[in-house]
Amino acid sequence: ESAVESLHSALTDARQAAADVATAAGVLAPDYVVSSGEYAAFGTDKLFAVDTLFLRYMSLVSVMQNRLFRSIAVVEQEEVDRLSRRDLTELMAKLGALTDATRFSESAIARNGPAHTYLSNVQNRADRLNKALRNAEFLLQAFNETLDFVVRRRLLPVQALTGFGPIHLSLQIAPHS
């Protein structure tokens, strides 16, 4: 697989994960910020949306860190063999593909939380959901910035970007009683 093919594949997978994050977060948005009591009262549809959000959040971070950022660096002819994920994230900021490497790294660390949460621990799951919702908007912004960078730098042929556009999500913090 060529560097350009790898970049296209990574961008396609990241876009799908980003769209799924936005969809799942959109289902949960009316409940943003969630108490443990509210979480415990979720029906099946909302619980599936929570699981989808957690899974796609983790996928989006992984694809961006492990494939998309690395592919961009290779296409940009940067040496990547010895770069850690954090170094690669900082390189993306240096290149102009990402505005906040620190926040992306924090979001990456936060992705581990949902994987280590017991279904019976409702308070912990509500806390992790709230954190994932807070980070979801940023992750989608980071994806959009990276997509914009790929387009601006013409790292892929125009026809390869057909159907690619920014993914949007706007969560309003609503007071809960």
Side-chain angles (χ1 to χ4, degrees), residues 50-115:
V50 170
D51 289 344
T52 299
L53 176 64
F54 286 170
L55 176 65
R56 295 306 183 200
Y57 177 100
M58 291 184 285
S59 295
L60 179 56
V61 170
S62 291
V63 169
M64 288 184 72
Q65 264 190 330
N66 300 330
R67 295 180 49 217
L68 185 57
F69 291 172
R70 186 165 299 279
S71 295
I72 288 171
V74 168
V75 170
E76 288 285 321
Q77 300 182 357
E78 297 285 342
E79 180 58 46
V80 297
D81 290 337
R82 293 194 172 122
L83 292 181
S84 68
R85 289 182 184 126
R86 181 179 298 269
D87 292 339
L88 204 50
T89 300
E90 289 172 4
L91 176 62
M92 291 301 103
K94 178 181 161 193
L95 292 174
L98 192 62
T99 57
D100 193 342
T102 301
R103 176 93 191 269
F104 188 89
S105 293
E106 290 167 358
S107 296
I109 292 167
R111 82 165 169 214
N112 298 326

Side-chain angles (χ1 to χ4, degrees), residues 121-165:
N121 189 336
V122 176
Q123 181 62 53
N124 187 274
R125 293 210 26 114
D127 292 344
R128 304 278 170 125
L129 172 59
N130 291 328
K131 192 170 197 172
L133 284 169
R134 281 192 307 273
N135 286 326
E137 271 187 299
F138 171 78
L139 283 177
L140 295 178
Q141 173 190 326
F143 168 78
N144 290 334
E145 289 172 357
T146 306
L147 173 61
D148 183 61
F149 177 81
V150 169
V151 170
R152 266 191 347 266
R153 299 280 300 177
R154 297 183 179 162
L155 301 181
L156 289 174
V158 172
Q159 64 271 24
L161 294 167
T162 302
F164 281 81

